[in-house]
Amino acid sequence: MTPTAPSAPHAPAQASEPQTLRRAGLGTADLVFFVVAAAAPLTVVAGVVPLAIRTGGESAAYGYLVPAVVLILFAVGFTAMSPRIKNAGAFYSYITHGIGKPFGVGSALLAVVSYNAMTICLIAGFAVYAQNMLASLFGLSVNWVILAAVAVIGIALLGYFKVTLGAKVLGIALALEVAVLVIYEAFMLGQGGSGDIAETVAIFNPAVMADPGFGAMLVLTAGGFIGFEATAIYAEEVKDPKRTVPRATYIAIAFLGVFYTFSVWCIFAAYGTQGALDAAASDDVALLTFTSMEQFVGPWLSDFSQLLLCTSAFAAALAFHNAASRYHFTLAREGILPRGVARISRAHGSPVGGVALQIAISVVVLGFAAVAGADPYLVVFLWSAAPGVLGILLLEGIAAIAVVAFFLRDRHGHSVWRVLVAPVLAAIGLFVFVGLSVSQLELLTAAEPFVNALLLIPIPLALVAGIVIALVLRARRPERYAALNTVDVEADTDVEA
């Protein structure tokens, strides 16, 4: 495969074809909201942290620090390359420039599968959380399909309107999530937790990473960061991509790493080290965080958190929907998907063709699940999460290799550490996460080996299908192949209806 230089000439297009998304004025804070909202911090702290403690014991203290360090290493090279990526292709563009167009198209199709899977997963999560919340707080019994339909309609509307509206919604939802957790943690620490808080600091002894459950726990915790690619996906819609994208990437990863780690320690402080381990091993592990909220703050905060758990899942679904729709747009602009999918709204500058395709995919999958009588959590949520999380981790690993390959040809004045050593270390870490996830997929799916094997198939299938498509284009339509990934946002300013 012959790598594609980022300075490839811009391919001419017909007048009716959209080229770039409209500058929507997104800033650093907006991008951070998109990334952190996609990570769904309340869902992580309330739903994943207890399971991480159950699986990894005291090593849960490093469950979010280790992935954060790996992703910061990735971001070192990723942000060095980002000023040279001038469109919304994100990982597609990085991988194309680094290791060639065939792998680039393959990664784009893998991204389409992964981001659509995560959107469907989180819509189902919203429906389940909303169903439980309405039943426990108001005594209402509402079919999950109705609640999923409400989420799909809301996401469709926010996806259609100007992207800054979605950023505001995500910002509000995120602020409330973080506020609830900060209130809980402040009250708990103010009351001294349970037992000697100072003793719980021992969980940060690096020796805890020797716990036999540490590797398995990383399968659960590494997914808490997926979606940070959003900083690059919106490259065509931000004010100053050369500065905004790197800044937002570092801020988002650092915030999540620190916030998650602090929250893990707060759970240990709230229960005491042994108390936290015992509570996580009990049948009520799912209520671990909410029970502590009731104890240290009051039932009102626990009840309010159940409501915010719904908005957390909705906000994350919206963030992944936005990512998927922009991949649809990019692939349609390249001619890989039908050209109509690349349609841009004249009024809002949003990729309405990509939005419509993502909504259609969600409706079909969720509709099929409803007709089949599938359990919304055990099947739709968990089975969608597995290829989504694993696919995105694999994309990040391939992108890290692409960064190294790109700068091996020309370091563009960067240090060896920034563009070679750091991304190599990141690639090793990311592929370790992928290996752990594949070998212990049942932790994510709670399914039988045969089902897990079926859930893995779309990942290599998408990657190979994209490679084949690119190779066929190179052989039969060389002019189209040459035009792949040559759109330059700084050269294209027109927006078509």
Side-chain angles (χ1 to χ4, degrees):
M1 292 177 293
T2 304
T4 303
S7 58
H10 170 64
Q14 297 175 4
S16 61
E17 294 177 350
Q19 288 303 296
T20 61
L21 295 171
R22 180 184 302 171
R23 289 288 190 204
L26 293 176
T28 300
D30 296 318
L31 290 191
V32 171
F33 287 150
F34 279 121
V35 172
V36 180
L42 181 59
T43 301
V44 169
V45 174
V48 181
V49 166
L51 295 176
I53 296 174
R54 182 174 189 154
T55 305
E58 293 181 37
S59 69
Y62 286 92
Y64 293 100
L65 275 180
V66 170
V69 169
V70 170
L71 291 177
I72 287 292
L73 288 172
F74 174 82
V76 168
F78 182 75
T79 56
M81 193 170 171
S82 60
R84 292 168 175 79
I85 304 299
K86 302 175 181 179
N87 58 56
F91 283 157
Y92 164 52
S93 295
Y94 286 77
I95 293 168
T96 297
H97 289 324
I99 54 181
K101 294 181 180 182
F103 258 102
V105 176
S107 69
L109 290 187
L110 175 56
V112 165
V113 169
S114 302
Y115 284 112
N116 276 291
M118 287 305 302
T119 306
I120 293 165
C121 159
L122 289 158
I123 290 173
F126 166 84
V128 171
Y129 299 146
Q131 188 179 50
N132 293 339
M133 182 270 296
L134 292 171
S136 63
L137 300 185
F138 305 105
L140 299 176
S141 178
V142 182
N143 190 295
W144 75 270
V145 177
I146 296 174
L147 297 170
V150 170
V152 169
I153 292 170
I155 288 169
L157 291 174
L158 289 171
Y160 170 73
F161 289 114
K162 192 175 180 181
V163 68
T164 49
L165 175 61
K168 289 181 174 64
V169 171
L170 292 175
I172 293 170
L174 176 61
L176 290 173
E177 285 183 60
V178 173
V180 161
L181 291 171
V182 168
I183 290 171
Y184 155 62
E185 292 164 357
F187 270 72
M188 183 276 297
L189 292 174
Q191 296 173 48
S194 297
D196 189 351
I197 289 183
E199 290 183 358
T200 62
V201 177
I203 67 172
F204 291 104
N205 183 337
V208 300
M209 286 188 280
D211 188 292
F214 180 66
M217 178 204 58
L218 289 175
V219 175
L220 298 171
T221 57
F225 296 84
I226 63 171
F228 78 88
E229 181 202 7
T231 57
I233 288 174
Y234 297 98
E236 297 182 19
E237 299 165 87
V238 297
K239 297 175 184 176
D240 183 358
K242 290 183 179 180
R243 295 184 179 181
T244 303
V245 170
R247 188 183 302 148
T249 302
Y250 282 121
I251 291 174
I253 296 173
F255 171 80
L256 289 172
V258 172
F259 188 76
Y260 287 154
T261 302
F262 180 72
S263 296
V264 170
W265 174 69
C266 283
I267 294 295
F268 278 97
Y271 285 88
T273 301
Q274 190 57 49
L277 297 176
D278 292 341
S282 72
D283 293 336
D284 294 327
V285 60
L287 300 176
L288 187 147
T289 303
F290 295 121
T291 299
S292 185
M293 285 182 176
E294 287 191 23
Q295 176 186 349
F296 290 102
V297 184
W300 69 269
L301 187 67
S302 178
D303 292 343
F304 187 47
S305 295
Q306 289 189 56
L307 172 62
L308 290 184
L309 201 57
C310 303
T311 63
S312 174
F314 178 85
L318 174 60
F320 282 112
H321 160 84
N322 284 344
S325 62
R326 280 154 181 79
Y327 264 106
H328 297 161
F329 163 79
T330 299
L331 288 178
R333 179 171 62 186
E334 303 280 63
I336 304 298
L337 292 178
R339 293 288 186 182
V341 177
R343 182 172 176 268
I344 299 175
S345 167
R346 184 184 298 276
H348 305 289
S350 58
V352 292
V355 168
L357 178 57
Q358 199 294 307
I359 293 299
I361 292 171
S362 295
V363 169
V364 169
V365 174
L366 292 168
F368 178 80
V371 171
D375 184 281
Y377 183 78
L378 294 177
V379 174
V380 185
F381 180 84
L382 293 181
W383 291 11
S384 298
V389 171
L390 184 55
I392 293 172
L393 287 174
L394 180 59
L395 272 172
E396 291 168 356
I398 296 173
I401 293 175
V403 170
V404 174
F406 178 82
F407 285 110
L408 273 175
R409 298 192 295 272
D410 183 349
R411 287 195 283 116
H412 295 277
H414 294 295
S415 68
V416 171
W417 160 257
R418 181 172 188 184
V419 297
L420 297 178
V421 177
V424 164
L425 293 175
I428 293 171
L430 288 163
F431 282 113
V432 167
F433 294 157
V434 170
L436 288 171
S437 298
V438 171
S439 65
Q440 304 187 60
L441 195 62
E442 67 276 5
L443 285 176
L444 296 177
T445 65
E448 298 298 321
F450 176 71
V451 173
N452 290 332
L454 292 178
L455 292 175
L456 289 175
I457 289 176
I459 296 173
L461 188 63
L463 190 60
V464 172
I467 292 172
V468 170
I469 289 172
L471 293 177
V472 170
L473 281 178
R474 186 170 69 181
R476 299 183 179 180
R477 302 286 299 277
E479 73 289 347
R480 280 184 57 188
Y481 180 81
L484 291 177
N485 202 40
T486 56
V487 172
D488 184 341
V489 68
E490 294 178 358
D492 294 301
T493 57
D494 295 332
V495 176
E496 303 293 339

